[in-house]
């Protein structure tokens, strides 16, 4: 006699579409805001701040991805369906032999991990793009490591454009604005022919700049946070085989949510 299947898990009202744990560096002001706009309705986004006591940015970055179980500890037994690791710089420092993180074991079962850099790679595969241009908010050393990462992954890096730092800003990544990133994207689109452009960095506020620049070109533009959200959505609903091109369309649902949530960014970009 066949056994009775276990009852379906009752999903909470705030998270009927899934509950995501977002891991982001302590100082990152962007990942939560952009992921909350990008993820589809009924997805609940919970966040933990990764804090490492180290004076240098590269030292902190090296520690992040190698300590994933530690960063999940504050979530306790929260019913997580996926983990989003929003820190591309950490992945770039680990080198070409770095494996993708395996699902983390939780009381409710295995919990898949989506790393931003892996999501970008999957997004490029979805677009069949091999020749890419990079827009970097990073300092020079990390920019070079990022370019080496993409070459090691088998991509042709047609151009690397440094996004200009906002006037008076100090931090090379978090001092970026949507306006400076739009300048970088427009430069990348005209510097060299590419099959896709990547706005790098989960901490740089690139989504609004992408939303504007994408309407000015036929070249697909990806950002770390957009690719992460797309990959998380697919992880939460494996039957959904939506290509990333759908997320880049002019009528993608996140666009309206973005402008409703952050109207000042739109008004500033329209004058850029």
């Amino acid at each position: 006699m066949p056994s009775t299947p276990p009852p379906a898990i009752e999903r909470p009202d705030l998270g009927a579409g899934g509950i995501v744990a977002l891991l982001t560096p302590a100082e990152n002001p962007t990942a939560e805001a952009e992921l909350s706009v990008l993820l589809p309705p009924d997805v609940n986004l919970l966040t933990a701040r990764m804090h490492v006591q180290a004076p240098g940015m590269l030292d902190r970055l090296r520690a992040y991805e190698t300590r994933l179980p530690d960063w999940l500890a504050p979530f306790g037994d929260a019913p997580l369906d996926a983990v989003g690791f929003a820190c591309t710089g950490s992945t770039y420092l680990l080198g070409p032999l770095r494996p993708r993180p395996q699902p983390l074991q939780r009381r409710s079962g295995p919990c898949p991990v989506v790393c931003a850099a892996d999501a970008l790679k999957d997004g490029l595969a979805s677009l069949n793009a091999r020749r890419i241009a990079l827009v970097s908010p990073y300092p020079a050393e990390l920019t070079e490591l990022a370019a080496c990462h993409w070459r090691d992954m088998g991509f042709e890096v047609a151009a690397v454009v440094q996004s200009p730092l906002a006037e008076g800003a100090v931090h090379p990544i978090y001092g970026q604005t949507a306006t400076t990133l739009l300048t970088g994207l427009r430069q990348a689109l005209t510097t060299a022919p590419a099959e896709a452009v990547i706005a790098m960095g989960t901490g740089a506020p690139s989504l609004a700049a992408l939303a504007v620049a994408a309407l000015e070109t036929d070249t697909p533009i990806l950002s770390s946070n957009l690719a992460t959200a797309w990959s998380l959505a697919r992880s939460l609903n494996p039957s959904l085989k939506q290509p990333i091109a759908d997320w880049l369309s002019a009528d993608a649902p996140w666009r309206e949510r973005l402008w409703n949530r952050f109207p000042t960014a739109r008004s500033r970009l329209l004058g850029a």
Side-chain angles (χ1 to χ4, degrees), residues 39-62:
L39 287 170
D42 275 332
V43 174
N44 191 348
L45 186 68
L46 311 180
T47 305
R49 295 270 165 179
M50 302 183 293
H51 183 257
V52 173
Q53 291 283 6
M57 182 176 68
L58 296 187
D59 294 326
R60 294 193 297 273
L61 287 172
R62 287 188 179 92

Side-chain angles (χ1 to χ4, degrees), residues 55-204:
M57 182 176 68
L58 296 187
D59 294 326
R60 294 193 297 273
L61 287 172
R62 287 188 179 92
Y64 292 146
E65 189 176 326
T66 58
R67 293 174 52 186
L68 292 177
D70 294 342
W71 310 127
L72 276 187
F75 291 101
D77 288 329
L80 305 179
D81 298 298
V83 175
F85 179 74
C87 184
T88 45
S90 184
T91 301
Y92 296 153
L93 285 167
L94 296 181
L97 299 181
R98 160 252 180 209
R100 289 195 179 200
Q102 295 298 306
L104 298 173
Q105 294 301 316
R106 305 278 296 167
R107 179 171 294 184
S108 56
C111 187
V113 178
V114 172
C115 287
D118 295 330
L120 281 170
K121 182 181 178 183
D122 293 343
L124 292 170
S126 178
L127 294 169
N128 293 315
R130 303 303 300 178
R131 180 178 170 86
I132 61 176
L134 306 176
V135 176
S136 175
Y138 302 140
E141 183 178 2
L142 186 53
T143 295
E144 181 55 34
L145 288 169
C148 288
H149 168 88
W150 291 112
R151 293 187 186 103
D152 289 339
M153 293 296 103
F155 294 90
E156 178 186 354
V157 178
V160 179
V161 172
Q162 184 67 48
S163 177
L165 195 61
E167 184 177 355
V170 176
H171 196 286
I173 303 172
Y174 308 142
Q176 296 284 333
T177 68
T179 301
T180 62
L181 290 159
L182 180 57
T183 298
L185 286 173
R186 285 171 169 164
Q187 183 179 345
L189 288 165
T190 58
T191 296
E195 295 169 331
V197 174
I198 297 178
M200 298 194 295
T202 64

